[in-house]
Amino acid sequence: MDHKNLAKTGVLLPAIGLGTWQYKAGIEPLRTGISLGAGFIDTAESYGTEEVIGQAIQGIRKNIFLATKVSPRHFRRADLIASAEASLKRLRTDYIDLYQLHWPNYTVPIEETMGAMEELVDNGKVRFIGVSNFFVSDLKRAQKAMSKHKVVSNQVRYNLIDRTIESGLLDYCQQWNITVIAHSPLANEFSLIGAEDRKQVINKIAQARTKTPAQIAINWCISKKGLVTIPKASSVKHVKENCEAADFQLSPEELRLLNQEINYRCRGSVELYLRQIARKGLQYMGKNQ
Ligand code: NAP
């Protein structure tokens, strides 16, 4: 398994970890992934998968990099601390490696939220602070609100058919050494990627390299500097396939074909701004938290 730096922490993260949203497959696929070097597991208090991860990591906790998330409705200090305690209990551990804000919440002062996150680091419950689904402006606000620690990662959607982070966020994170954790590298449903690949570029590259199409899609993600990814897989077969997606390097020509021949979405700054305004509006109305 290839590894990448987690920001400037000195910690090396597997380039491919294990996502667990909508995961219902028990401990075996997780244990397989861990044994193949993908000892980086992502969950969230909202996924309902912290308990199964807690079981899967019993006895091997020290070999695992455990990432979970707090939901925006818990961004007040007392709620956030209580959420972290509840996650620790479900995960059956006494520390979280990476605690992430799942989405921005514009109705809670960011200073209060980041202060609570820093408190968790100071008392040893959390090692590193991350965020998720943050735009550049959200990241800047979060970083400014912190006095002792840094935001080390931003978990955002990135795959062959949604390349929105290329419109500014990826550059920003690379420039400031914030690791990008690419979620949904297989677009949540792999056939959606195939549907946008009219010339069958992925299949052709996969055949030429004796790799599978999913391995090509995952490898394309991790070809980016400062970026790791967390595909979710429910079977031992898929987990093995995904873990073996890091042991080769796509050539410049293969990358060019994947970049140019597959239809993709890349939301620009105006669209992103409008989506941020819409999210703020919904949150102030008590929705979308
Ligand atoms: P994904 O990893 O892009 O895709 C999962 C789908 O791909 C499942 O249907 C899975 O099937 C299939 N799959 C996995 N390996 C495969 C393979 N080798 N060949 C063919 N199909 C394969 O989807 P995701 O769950 O949306 O994203 C991954 C993780 O990112 C999540 O689990 C979660 O941890 C994180 N995430 C975070 C956010 C956020 O807001 N921060 C949002 C979405 C996701 P099987 O399950 O049958 O194996």
Side-chain angles (χ1 to χ4, degrees), residues 20-21 42 132-133 155 184 186 188 230 232 234 238 242:
T20 62
W21 178 41
D42 179 69
S132 175
N133 303 305
Q155 185 177 133
S184 309
L186 301 174
N188 193 245
I230 44 168
K232 168 255 182 180
S234 307
H238 276 171
N242 298 348

Side-chain angles (χ1 to χ4, degrees), residues 3-16:
H3 285 76
K4 299 200 185 184
N5 291 313
L6 173 66
K8 284 189 160 176
T9 61
V11 169
L12 284 175
L13 268 190
I16 298 169

Side-chain angles (χ1 to χ4, degrees), residues 18-22 42-43 47 69 102-103 132-133 155-157 159 182-190 212 214-215 218 230-235 237-239 241-242:
L18 304 168
T20 62
W21 178 41
Q22 301 170 322
D42 179 69
T43 181
Y47 290 177
K69 311 183 195 82
H102 206 149
W103 291 88
S132 175
N133 303 305
Q155 185 177 133
V156 285
R157 189 177 181 87
N159 56 54
H183 74 62
S184 309
L186 301 174
N188 193 245
E189 196 186 313
F190 191 44
T212 68
Q215 288 175 328
I218 292 170
I230 44 168
K232 168 255 182 180
S234 307
S235 61
K237 177 179 175 284
H238 276 171
V239 167
E241 200 176 312
N242 298 348

Side-chain angles (χ1 to χ4, degrees), residues 72 103-105 275 278-280 282-283 285-289:
W103 291 88
N105 183 345
R275 288 172 73 86
R279 173 168 283 273
K280 274 185 199 172
L282 285 170
Q283 287 184 338
M285 288 189 293
K287 295 176 185 161
N288 201 1
Q289 298 208 5

Side-chain angles (χ1 to χ4, degrees), residues 3 17 24 36 67 78 95 117 124 127 138 142 159 185 209 237 251-253 265 275 280 287:
H3 285 76
K24 297 184 185 72
L36 293 173
Y95 67 97
M117 294 290 269
R127 288 177 71 202
D138 301 320
N159 56 54
R209 281 195 170 263
K237 177 179 175 284
S251 69
E253 176 58 10
R265 173 172 69 191
R275 288 172 73 86
K280 274 185 199 172
K287 295 176 185 161

